[in-house]
Amino acid sequence: MTDFVFEVFVPNGTPTHTYVKRAEEKNEEKLAAALDMPKMVISISGPSKTGKTALVDTLLTADRIIPITGQSLSSSNDLWQSVLRWIGGPEEVEKIKERILKAGAAGKVSAEAGVIIAKGKTEGEINGGIELSAATSQKFGIEFFESVVKELNESDFVVFLDDFHYIEEEVQIEIAKSVKAITERGVRVCVASVPYKSDDMVRANDELTGRTYSILFDYWTVDELKFIASSGFSALGVDIAPAIIDKIATEALGSPQLMQSLCLNLCLEKGIRNKQVLEERTEVSEAEYRAALERTTLQTDYSRTVEKLHTGAKERGTQRKEFTLKDESIGDVYRAILLALIENPPRLSFDYDEIMGRINKVCIDKTPVGSSVQLALKQMDGIAKDIKRDAPVLEWDDDKLEVTNPYFMFYLRSSQKIDHIHKKKSGMV
């Protein structure tokens, strides 16, 4: 039997005990309204790890969502074939023409029989009282689009296309056209992307202007994140000091998923796995708090990315200037920038002046000149894009640095990786 703590704090799924309805955002109400609008493409955009998928999973029952990820698509044909495969077509996707009602009034066709079969079921298996058999079948070939229309039009099912921004630009254009066409035929489609790519669907097909209902997410506030902790600890019968909850919520950097992970790992660090008898406050020492943070970094690994950003761009014939830094290390402009980013308070967005101010704090004596910092930031932007073109962990644009993934910044702050690089370079490990 699964320990209760894993049901309370759910980093990689849809929570129940700790689901927070964001009153100011009203995204639940917006999504519900959008689903009622005919022939409308729903666009959900927001930063990574801010609850876009959890919103859809919470508002719609799991058996209504047909999840497809953009990373797997190289054509619109791939999209609709994936939809058919999810709702039950075999690998070669055969068209089932005869559906038999197994339970209920004999000889009557169920309204649910328009859907081939639920995910995970096989042909002929009973699901919800309906047995599906193939008296006659034919290969779909290029008919995936029309077959999806036949199976899903005017139904309650929703095709949830996540990570649209990962799709190649030419393929986006093709898919955007087919999404527009299929919504006009009564199939519900919801597309999710990151903020700076939120208009990719409309740009791929300008005929979607006025036919797209946009729901925008933002990073969570500290108070919203604290509610995850307070509701979860309450469900477990645990009393954690408000000061500790404040620290965790600040460290979560606006991500509810990261907040779930931090709370879960704090419980595991304290040996809390099931509901407690609430008698007294559960004390958390600084060592236990730091151990919970480090335990959370084990759920993601950005060690290669940090190493490449720390090394910086290769330069020929030029010796980089080095600086004495407050962590008692000596490093170049790249190390100074990384140390500046992990200074308190935790942030994901920095303008140029703030970066320079933080660099001044981490340098003991001399500091890098502004032109050197700007060049290094530009090169770090390129390094991040070389590692992952579609989803770089940071971006530098003129005079603003954006860390696009809260987990990367958390790893940078809490994994001890930067300290390890220094010790390795100095021969201390």
PDB file of all heavy atoms in Angstrom, residues 103-135:
ATOM      1  N   ALA A 103     -24.263  -4.119 -22.271  1.00  0.00           N
ATOM      2  CA  ALA A 103     -25.140  -4.016 -21.104  1.00  0.00           C
ATOM      3  C   ALA A 103     -26.221  -2.993 -21.389  1.00  0.00           C
ATOM      4  O   ALA A 103     -26.073  -2.137 -22.237  1.00  0.00           O
ATOM      5  CB  ALA A 103     -24.342  -3.611 -19.876  1.00  0.00           C
ATOM      6  N   GLY A 104     -27.321  -3.068 -20.673  1.00  0.00           N
ATOM      7  CA  GLY A 104     -28.423  -2.135 -20.875  1.00  0.00           C
ATOM      8  C   GLY A 104     -29.441  -2.726 -21.821  1.00  0.00           C
ATOM      9  O   GLY A 104     -29.481  -3.928 -22.067  1.00  0.00           O
ATOM     10  N   ALA A 105     -30.268  -1.874 -22.409  1.00  0.00           N
ATOM     11  CA  ALA A 105     -31.350  -2.350 -23.276  1.00  0.00           C
ATOM     12  C   ALA A 105     -30.778  -3.017 -24.519  1.00  0.00           C
ATOM     13  O   ALA A 105     -29.961  -2.442 -25.217  1.00  0.00           O
ATOM     14  CB  ALA A 105     -32.234  -1.176 -23.663  1.00  0.00           C
ATOM     15  N   ALA A 106     -31.208  -4.215 -24.780  1.00  0.00           N
ATOM     16  CA  ALA A 106     -30.693  -4.965 -25.920  1.00  0.00           C
ATOM     17  C   ALA A 106     -31.067  -4.280 -27.227  1.00  0.00           C
ATOM     18  O   ALA A 106     -32.170  -3.792 -27.392  1.00  0.00           O
ATOM     19  CB  ALA A 106     -31.257  -6.388 -25.897  1.00  0.00           C
ATOM     20  N   GLY A 107     -30.109  -4.260 -28.132  1.00  0.00           N
ATOM     21  CA  GLY A 107     -30.372  -3.743 -29.463  1.00  0.00           C
ATOM     22  C   GLY A 107     -30.285  -2.250 -29.601  1.00  0.00           C
ATOM     23  O   GLY A 107     -30.395  -1.720 -30.695  1.00  0.00           O
ATOM     24  N   LYS A 108     -30.114  -1.498 -28.489  1.00  0.00           N
ATOM     25  CA  LYS A 108     -30.016  -0.046 -28.581  1.00  0.00           C
ATOM     26  C   LYS A 108     -28.556   0.367 -28.655  1.00  0.00           C
ATOM     27  O   LYS A 108     -27.699  -0.197 -27.996  1.00  0.00           O
ATOM     28  CB  LYS A 108     -30.689   0.612 -27.384  1.00  0.00           C
ATOM     29  CG  LYS A 108     -32.204   0.429 -27.360  1.00  0.00           C
ATOM     30  CD  LYS A 108     -32.819   1.213 -26.216  1.00  0.00           C
ATOM     31  CE  LYS A 108     -34.341   1.064 -26.230  1.00  0.00           C
ATOM     32  NZ  LYS A 108     -34.958   1.823 -25.127  1.00  0.00           N
ATOM     33  N   VAL A 109     -28.288   1.362 -29.432  1.00  0.00           N
ATOM     34  CA  VAL A 109     -26.914   1.828 -29.585  1.00  0.00           C
ATOM     35  C   VAL A 109     -26.648   2.925 -28.577  1.00  0.00           C
ATOM     36  O   VAL A 109     -27.398   3.884 -28.490  1.00  0.00           O
ATOM     37  CB  VAL A 109     -26.672   2.369 -31.019  1.00  0.00           C
ATOM     38  CG1 VAL A 109     -25.241   2.862 -31.161  1.00  0.00           C
ATOM     39  CG2 VAL A 109     -26.953   1.266 -32.025  1.00  0.00           C
ATOM     40  N   SER A 110     -25.575   2.782 -27.824  1.00  0.00           N
ATOM     41  CA  SER A 110     -25.227   3.775 -26.810  1.00  0.00           C
ATOM     42  C   SER A 110     -24.705   5.042 -27.448  1.00  0.00           C
ATOM     43  O   SER A 110     -24.050   5.017 -28.482  1.00  0.00           O
ATOM     44  CB  SER A 110     -24.154   3.215 -25.864  1.00  0.00           C
ATOM     45  OG  SER A 110     -23.611   4.226 -25.085  1.00  0.00           O
ATOM     46  N   ALA A 111     -25.008   6.176 -26.793  1.00  0.00           N
ATOM     47  CA  ALA A 111     -24.477   7.463 -27.278  1.00  0.00           C
ATOM     48  C   ALA A 111     -22.970   7.506 -27.166  1.00  0.00           C
ATOM     49  O   ALA A 111     -22.310   8.287 -27.841  1.00  0.00           O
ATOM     50  CB  ALA A 111     -25.090   8.609 -26.467  1.00  0.00           C
ATOM     51  N   GLU A 112     -22.414   6.635 -26.281  1.00  0.00           N
ATOM     52  CA  GLU A 112     -20.971   6.624 -26.097  1.00  0.00           C
ATOM     53  C   GLU A 112     -20.267   5.812 -27.181  1.00  0.00           C
ATOM     54  O   GLU A 112     -19.047   5.780 -27.228  1.00  0.00           O
ATOM     55  CB  GLU A 112     -20.623   6.041 -24.718  1.00  0.00           C
ATOM     56  CG  GLU A 112     -21.081   6.877 -23.546  1.00  0.00           C
ATOM     57  CD  GLU A 112     -20.340   8.197 -23.487  1.00  0.00           C
ATOM     58  OE1 GLU A 112     -19.137   8.228 -23.815  1.00  0.00           O
ATOM     59  OE2 GLU A 112     -20.969   9.198 -23.142  1.00  0.00           O
ATOM     60  N   ALA A 113     -21.029   5.119 -28.029  1.00  0.00           N
ATOM     61  CA  ALA A 113     -20.408   4.219 -28.988  1.00  0.00           C
ATOM     62  C   ALA A 113     -19.688   4.942 -30.110  1.00  0.00           C
ATOM     63  O   ALA A 113     -19.095   4.320 -30.969  1.00  0.00           O
ATOM     64  CB  ALA A 113     -21.459   3.287 -29.578  1.00  0.00           C
ATOM     65  N   GLY A 114     -19.716   6.251 -30.114  1.00  0.00           N
ATOM     66  CA  GLY A 114     -18.984   6.998 -31.126  1.00  0.00           C
ATOM     67  C   GLY A 114     -17.495   6.985 -30.898  1.00  0.00           C
ATOM     68  O   GLY A 114     -16.721   7.293 -31.778  1.00  0.00           O
ATOM     69  N   VAL A 115     -17.072   6.618 -29.689  1.00  0.00           N
ATOM     70  CA  VAL A 115     -15.648   6.554 -29.401  1.00  0.00           C
ATOM     71  C   VAL A 115     -15.202   5.114 -29.498  1.00  0.00           C
ATOM     72  O   VAL A 115     -15.842   4.231 -28.954  1.00  0.00           O
ATOM     73  CB  VAL A 115     -15.346   7.119 -28.000  1.00  0.00           C
ATOM     74  CG1 VAL A 115     -13.876   6.961 -27.656  1.00  0.00           C
ATOM     75  CG2 VAL A 115     -15.765   8.575 -27.948  1.00  0.00           C
ATOM     76  N   ILE A 116     -14.106   4.883 -30.185  1.00  0.00           N
ATOM     77  CA  ILE A 116     -13.703   3.508 -30.474  1.00  0.00           C
ATOM     78  C   ILE A 116     -13.573   2.694 -29.199  1.00  0.00           C
ATOM     79  O   ILE A 116     -14.233   1.698 -29.005  1.00  0.00           O
ATOM     80  CB  ILE A 116     -12.354   3.485 -31.243  1.00  0.00           C
ATOM     81  CG1 ILE A 116     -12.558   4.112 -32.626  1.00  0.00           C
ATOM     82  CG2 ILE A 116     -11.854   2.064 -31.397  1.00  0.00           C
ATOM     83  CD1 ILE A 116     -11.294   4.195 -33.437  1.00  0.00           C
ATOM     84  N   ILE A 117     -12.733   3.125 -28.270  1.00  0.00           N
ATOM     85  CA  ILE A 117     -12.518   2.374 -27.040  1.00  0.00           C
ATOM     86  C   ILE A 117     -11.627   3.193 -26.138  1.00  0.00           C
ATOM     87  O   ILE A 117     -10.872   4.036 -26.610  1.00  0.00           O
ATOM     88  CB  ILE A 117     -11.885   0.999 -27.358  1.00  0.00           C
ATOM     89  CG1 ILE A 117     -12.088   0.007 -26.213  1.00  0.00           C
ATOM     90  CG2 ILE A 117     -10.424   1.107 -27.681  1.00  0.00           C
ATOM     91  CD1 ILE A 117     -11.811  -1.424 -26.607  1.00  0.00           C
ATOM     92  N   ALA A 118     -11.712   2.980 -24.846  1.00  0.00           N
ATOM     93  CA  ALA A 118     -10.925   3.777 -23.908  1.00  0.00           C
ATOM     94  C   ALA A 118      -9.457   3.378 -23.943  1.00  0.00           C
ATOM     95  O   ALA A 118      -9.108   2.270 -24.301  1.00  0.00           O
ATOM     96  CB  ALA A 118     -11.467   3.619 -22.493  1.00  0.00           C
ATOM     97  N   LYS A 119      -8.594   4.312 -23.536  1.00  0.00           N
ATOM     98  CA  LYS A 119      -7.159   4.060 -23.515  1.00  0.00           C
ATOM     99  C   LYS A 119      -6.846   2.848 -22.656  1.00  0.00           C
ATOM    100  O   LYS A 119      -7.378   2.664 -21.582  1.00  0.00           O
ATOM    101  CB  LYS A 119      -6.427   5.275 -22.951  1.00  0.00           C
ATOM    102  CG  LYS A 119      -4.916   5.133 -22.966  1.00  0.00           C
ATOM    103  CD  LYS A 119      -4.267   6.353 -22.370  1.00  0.00           C
ATOM    104  CE  LYS A 119      -2.761   6.227 -22.386  1.00  0.00           C
ATOM    105  NZ  LYS A 119      -2.089   7.365 -21.769  1.00  0.00           N
ATOM    106  N   GLY A 120      -5.932   1.995 -23.153  1.00  0.00           N
ATOM    107  CA  GLY A 120      -5.520   0.850 -22.371  1.00  0.00           C
ATOM    108  C   GLY A 120      -6.375  -0.378 -22.613  1.00  0.00           C
ATOM    109  O   GLY A 120      -6.060  -1.466 -22.147  1.00  0.00           O
ATOM    110  N   LYS A 121      -7.500  -0.232 -23.332  1.00  0.00           N
ATOM    111  CA  LYS A 121      -8.358  -1.376 -23.609  1.00  0.00           C
ATOM    112  C   LYS A 121      -8.014  -1.941 -24.984  1.00  0.00           C
ATOM    113  O   LYS A 121      -7.423  -1.282 -25.826  1.00  0.00           O
ATOM    114  CB  LYS A 121      -9.832  -0.965 -23.582  1.00  0.00           C
ATOM    115  CG  LYS A 121     -10.265  -0.353 -22.251  1.00  0.00           C
ATOM    116  CD  LYS A 121     -10.206  -1.346 -21.120  1.00  0.00           C
ATOM    117  CE  LYS A 121     -10.690  -0.717 -19.830  1.00  0.00           C
ATOM    118  NZ  LYS A 121     -10.607  -1.663 -18.695  1.00  0.00           N
ATOM    119  N   THR A 122      -8.418  -3.169 -25.228  1.00  0.00           N
ATOM    120  CA  THR A 122      -8.168  -3.783 -26.518  1.00  0.00           C
ATOM    121  C   THR A 122      -9.478  -4.060 -27.226  1.00  0.00           C
ATOM    122  O   THR A 122     -10.540  -4.081 -26.614  1.00  0.00           O
ATOM    123  CB  THR A 122      -7.408  -5.118 -26.352  1.00  0.00           C
ATOM    124  OG1 THR A 122      -8.164  -5.968 -25.493  1.00  0.00           O
ATOM    125  CG2 THR A 122      -6.038  -4.888 -25.753  1.00  0.00           C
ATOM    126  N   GLU A 123      -9.397  -4.284 -28.511  1.00  0.00           N
ATOM    127  CA  GLU A 123     -10.587  -4.495 -29.311  1.00  0.00           C
ATOM    128  C   GLU A 123     -11.408  -5.663 -28.770  1.00  0.00           C
ATOM    129  O   GLU A 123     -10.889  -6.726 -28.490  1.00  0.00           O
ATOM    130  CB  GLU A 123     -10.180  -4.769 -30.765  1.00  0.00           C
ATOM    131  CG  GLU A 123     -11.344  -4.891 -31.720  1.00  0.00           C
ATOM    132  CD  GLU A 123     -10.853  -5.094 -33.136  1.00  0.00           C
ATOM    133  OE1 GLU A 123      -9.867  -4.465 -33.501  1.00  0.00           O
ATOM    134  OE2 GLU A 123     -11.455  -5.913 -33.847  1.00  0.00           O
ATOM    135  N   GLY A 124     -12.684  -5.441 -28.590  1.00  0.00           N
ATOM    136  CA  GLY A 124     -13.559  -6.478 -28.105  1.00  0.00           C
ATOM    137  C   GLY A 124     -13.685  -6.511 -26.597  1.00  0.00           C
ATOM    138  O   GLY A 124     -14.518  -7.218 -26.062  1.00  0.00           O
ATOM    139  N   GLU A 125     -12.849  -5.731 -25.882  1.00  0.00           N
ATOM    140  CA  GLU A 125     -12.929  -5.725 -24.422  1.00  0.00           C
ATOM    141  C   GLU A 125     -14.070  -4.834 -23.978  1.00  0.00           C
ATOM    142  O   GLU A 125     -14.338  -3.791 -24.559  1.00  0.00           O
ATOM    143  CB  GLU A 125     -11.602  -5.209 -23.833  1.00  0.00           C
ATOM    144  CG  GLU A 125     -11.556  -5.277 -22.312  1.00  0.00           C
ATOM    145  CD  GLU A 125     -10.192  -4.846 -21.785  1.00  0.00           C
ATOM    146  OE1 GLU A 125      -9.280  -4.657 -22.603  1.00  0.00           O
ATOM    147  OE2 GLU A 125     -10.078  -4.689 -20.567  1.00  0.00           O
ATOM    148  N   ILE A 126     -14.742  -5.236 -22.910  1.00  0.00           N
ATOM    149  CA  ILE A 126     -15.872  -4.474 -22.398  1.00  0.00           C
ATOM    150  C   ILE A 126     -15.379  -3.224 -21.698  1.00  0.00           C
ATOM    151  O   ILE A 126     -14.474  -3.266 -20.899  1.00  0.00           O
ATOM    152  CB  ILE A 126     -16.696  -5.330 -21.430  1.00  0.00           C
ATOM    153  CG1 ILE A 126     -17.251  -6.554 -22.177  1.00  0.00           C
ATOM    154  CG2 ILE A 126     -17.814  -4.531 -20.800  1.00  0.00           C
ATOM    155  CD1 ILE A 126     -17.910  -7.559 -21.265  1.00  0.00           C
ATOM    156  N   ASN A 127     -15.982  -2.069 -21.990  1.00  0.00           N
ATOM    157  CA  ASN A 127     -15.632  -0.823 -21.314  1.00  0.00           C
ATOM    158  C   ASN A 127     -16.899  -0.006 -21.155  1.00  0.00           C
ATOM    159  O   ASN A 127     -17.492   0.407 -22.135  1.00  0.00           O
ATOM    160  CB  ASN A 127     -14.586  -0.045 -22.111  1.00  0.00           C
ATOM    161  CG  ASN A 127     -14.230   1.253 -21.435  1.00  0.00           C
ATOM    162  OD1 ASN A 127     -13.957   1.289 -20.250  1.00  0.00           O
ATOM    163  ND2 ASN A 127     -14.246   2.323 -22.198  1.00  0.00           N
ATOM    164  N   GLY A 128     -17.299   0.233 -19.915  1.00  0.00           N
ATOM    165  CA  GLY A 128     -18.491   1.023 -19.682  1.00  0.00           C
ATOM    166  C   GLY A 128     -19.727   0.381 -20.258  1.00  0.00           C
ATOM    167  O   GLY A 128     -20.674   1.056 -20.660  1.00  0.00           O
ATOM    168  N   GLY A 129     -19.750  -0.942 -20.352  1.00  0.00           N
ATOM    169  CA  GLY A 129     -20.937  -1.623 -20.850  1.00  0.00           C
ATOM    170  C   GLY A 129     -20.980  -1.770 -22.347  1.00  0.00           C
ATOM    171  O   GLY A 129     -21.922  -2.285 -22.909  1.00  0.00           O
ATOM    172  N   ILE A 130     -19.926  -1.320 -23.062  1.00  0.00           N
ATOM    173  CA  ILE A 130     -19.941  -1.398 -24.521  1.00  0.00           C
ATOM    174  C   ILE A 130     -18.855  -2.355 -24.987  1.00  0.00           C
ATOM    175  O   ILE A 130     -17.708  -2.230 -24.602  1.00  0.00           O
ATOM    176  CB  ILE A 130     -19.677  -0.014 -25.145  1.00  0.00           C
ATOM    177  CG1 ILE A 130     -20.727   0.970 -24.657  1.00  0.00           C
ATOM    178  CG2 ILE A 130     -19.670  -0.080 -26.657  1.00  0.00           C
ATOM    179  CD1 ILE A 130     -20.378   2.386 -24.965  1.00  0.00           C
ATOM    180  N   GLU A 131     -19.219  -3.339 -25.803  1.00  0.00           N
ATOM    181  CA  GLU A 131     -18.210  -4.217 -26.375  1.00  0.00           C
ATOM    182  C   GLU A 131     -18.026  -3.814 -27.831  1.00  0.00           C
ATOM    183  O   GLU A 131     -18.986  -3.667 -28.582  1.00  0.00           O
ATOM    184  CB  GLU A 131     -18.632  -5.682 -26.286  1.00  0.00           C
ATOM    185  CG  GLU A 131     -17.561  -6.605 -26.858  1.00  0.00           C
ATOM    186  CD  GLU A 131     -17.965  -8.060 -26.773  1.00  0.00           C
ATOM    187  OE1 GLU A 131     -18.803  -8.387 -25.925  1.00  0.00           O
ATOM    188  OE2 GLU A 131     -17.465  -8.852 -27.574  1.00  0.00           O
ATOM    189  N   LEU A 132     -16.771  -3.615 -28.237  1.00  0.00           N
ATOM    190  CA  LEU A 132     -16.488  -3.166 -29.589  1.00  0.00           C
ATOM    191  C   LEU A 132     -15.930  -4.334 -30.399  1.00  0.00           C
ATOM    192  O   LEU A 132     -14.979  -4.976 -29.995  1.00  0.00           O
ATOM    193  CB  LEU A 132     -15.481  -2.024 -29.551  1.00  0.00           C
ATOM    194  CG  LEU A 132     -15.838  -0.897 -28.578  1.00  0.00           C
ATOM    195  CD1 LEU A 132     -14.749   0.160 -28.583  1.00  0.00           C
ATOM    196  CD2 LEU A 132     -17.165  -0.282 -28.945  1.00  0.00           C
ATOM    197  N   SER A 133     -16.538  -4.610 -31.511  1.00  0.00           N
ATOM    198  CA  SER A 133     -16.037  -5.691 -32.352  1.00  0.00           C
ATOM    199  C   SER A 133     -15.837  -5.176 -33.759  1.00  0.00           C
ATOM    200  O   SER A 133     -16.399  -4.162 -34.154  1.00  0.00           O
ATOM    201  CB  SER A 133     -17.023  -6.857 -32.360  1.00  0.00           C
ATOM    202  OG  SER A 133     -18.253  -6.458 -32.927  1.00  0.00           O
ATOM    203  N   ALA A 134     -15.037  -5.862 -34.524  1.00  0.00           N
ATOM    204  CA  ALA A 134     -14.737  -5.429 -35.886  1.00  0.00           C
ATOM    205  C   ALA A 134     -15.254  -6.451 -36.879  1.00  0.00           C
ATOM    206  O   ALA A 134     -14.547  -7.351 -37.291  1.00  0.00           O
ATOM    207  CB  ALA A 134     -13.239  -5.224 -36.061  1.00  0.00           C
ATOM    208  N   ALA A 135     -16.499  -6.304 -37.244  1.00  0.00           N
ATOM    209  CA  ALA A 135     -17.058  -7.185 -38.256  1.00  0.00           C
ATOM    210  C   ALA A 135     -16.474  -6.821 -39.618  1.00  0.00           C
ATOM    211  O   ALA A 135     -16.230  -7.671 -40.464  1.00  0.00           O
ATOM    212  CB  ALA A 135     -18.572  -7.064 -38.281  1.00  0.00           C
TER     213      ALA A 135
END
